[in-house]
Amino acid sequence: MNESPQASLRSLMENPGEENEQLHTIDQHVLRLNLKPDDLKLWQDTYAAMPQPGNILLACESDSCALESTRLTWVVGAAIRSADVESALDAGALLQHLGISSTLAEAMPKHCPGVGGDIVWAFYLERHGWLTACPVLPTISLGSAQP
């Protein structure tokens, strides 16, 4: 029996990996899960400050055009945008529109429990071009990061 997305995220947070990150190689691409407490707090604060946040946060090149017309980029200097998607499949399709490879976008739900559903995730590019995902945890003490 598969565990719930909340249980999967809890397990991920309890075993964050070396340097509080996990790297998943998919074909020639890398999905990096950023589980560093400072970054979790930054995304939590960013989400809380948004007037009408969706269930995905994206670091984009621009906030002055339609979401599908911009590209995903690194966080520094980015326009942080929010989207509300209906499913993990929709989340992957949106990432593809933003320039992420189809193989990486299709594999992403396996590593990001609850994406496109009840668990909010932030996505951005890392300096190596890796797709980075960070869960946006509910407002709690990050020392006991329980989703």
Side-chain angles (χ1 to χ4, degrees):
M1 177 187 235
N2 291 340
E3 59 184 346
S4 72
Q6 291 79 10
S8 295
L9 181 59
R10 187 173 298 113
S11 177
L12 188 66
M13 297 306 300
E14 290 170 355
N15 302 295
E18 190 175 322
E19 297 185 39
N20 291 314
E21 68 179 20
Q22 294 182 6
L23 301 177
H24 301 278
T25 302
I26 298 141
D27 286 340
Q28 300 167 356
H29 307 283
V30 175
L31 171 62
R32 175 180 168 256
L33 298 184
N34 179 356
L35 305 170
K36 297 177 181 187
D38 289 346
D39 292 334
L40 293 170
K41 177 75 170 113
L42 175 70
W43 283 110
Q44 184 183 60
D45 292 347
T46 300
Y47 183 80
M50 296 186 131
Q52 294 182 323
N55 59 0
I56 290 187
L57 297 181
L58 305 154
C60 297
E61 291 178 344
S62 174
D63 62 359
S64 63
C65 60
L67 184 58
E68 292 82 9
S69 298
T70 189
R71 308 282 287 171
L72 203 65
T73 190
W74 46 89
V75 173
V76 177
I80 305 301
R81 298 184 65 171
S82 174
D84 203 13
V85 295
E86 303 270 329
S87 67
L89 203 63
D90 289 347
L94 178 58
L95 288 172
Q96 285 183 63
H97 281 311
L98 299 175
I100 301 305
S101 76
S102 61
T103 55
L104 193 54
E106 290 166 8
M108 171 270 307
K110 175 182 173 189
H111 303 287
C112 300
V115 68
D118 294 338
I119 299 175
V120 178
W121 284 83
F123 293 95
Y124 58 97
L125 295 181
E126 202 266 346
R127 68 174 183 241
H128 301 297
W130 299 342
L131 174 62
T132 301
C134 186
V136 180
L137 303 176
T139 306
I140 54 168
S141 166
L142 289 175
S144 61
Q146 301 284 326

